[in-house]
Amino acid sequence: MLVIIGVIAIGAFATSIPPQSVQINGYAGYLGEWELTATLSRNAPGTVHDLSGPMRMKHVGMCSKDGPEEKTGEMQLRLSRLSSNVDVRLMFDGIECTHRGNMSDAYIGTMVCPDRRAVPLTLWIK
C-alpha cells in the first residue's frame, strides 16, 4: 500500500514540473487590443519554475495606415510552487511592467507599468 501511495505522489510531482520551454499567448488592454506571444525557456537546470524569453506584442485594435504597431521585448515568468499563481515581468520600450495572476481557465490579472494605469492582462500557458 505504501508503494502505491509513493508512486502516486511521485507521478503527481512529475506532472507539476513545467517543460523545458513553454508557449505563452495572451492579450492586454480593456478591449484586448494587444495580442501577446512569447516562447519561454527555463533559466537554468535548477530553476524549474522560473522561465524567460523573447515576447512580442501586436496591436490588433484600430490600426494605422502603416499596419499594426508591434513591440518586442522580454518576459520573465515565475510559477508558484504551492498555488496556482504566476508572477510575470514584461520588459519592452525601456519599461518594466509586472503582472500577478491566478489560474482559472487562464492567468487573469492586471499589467502594472510605472506612470501608467493598470490594464487587464490574460495569459495562457501551452
Side-chain angles (χ1 to χ4, degrees):
M1 181 69 169
L2 242 25
V3 173
I4 293 172
I5 293 172
V7 169
I8 291 171
I10 290 170
F13 178 74
T15 58
S16 68
I17 297 174
Q20 291 292 331
S21 66
V22 294
Q23 179 69 35
I24 305 289
N25 293 314
Y27 56 87
Y30 291 101
L31 302 173
E33 61 270 20
W34 287 95
E35 176 183 271
L36 186 143
T37 57
T39 302
L40 308 181
S41 301
R42 288 187 193 173
N43 291 336
T47 58
V48 173
H49 292 75
D50 295 337
L51 303 139
S52 64
M55 72 159 194
R56 181 179 63 90
M57 294 178 65
K58 180 178 179 181
H59 192 269
V60 293
M62 299 286 288
C63 299
S64 69
K65 66 179 182 170
D66 297 331
E69 181 181 356
E70 290 194 31
K71 299 176 184 240
T72 58
E74 182 180 338
M75 177 185 286
Q76 296 175 348
L77 181 137
R78 172 170 280 175
L79 296 166
S80 173
R81 296 172 194 252
L82 302 174
S83 69
S84 60
N85 295 337
V86 65
D87 291 312
V88 181
R89 288 179 45 207
L90 303 105
M91 286 87 50
F92 57 93
D93 288 348
I95 301 167
E96 182 176 312
C97 302
T98 59
H99 167 74
R100 171 171 271 175
N102 297 316
M103 181 63 163
S104 55
D105 290 338
Y107 290 98
I108 300 170
T110 56
M111 181 172 64
V112 179
C113 302
D115 302 324
R116 296 194 169 122
R117 287 180 127 169
V119 296
L121 176 65
T122 303
L123 299 174
W124 289 271
I125 299 176
K126 292 185 175 184

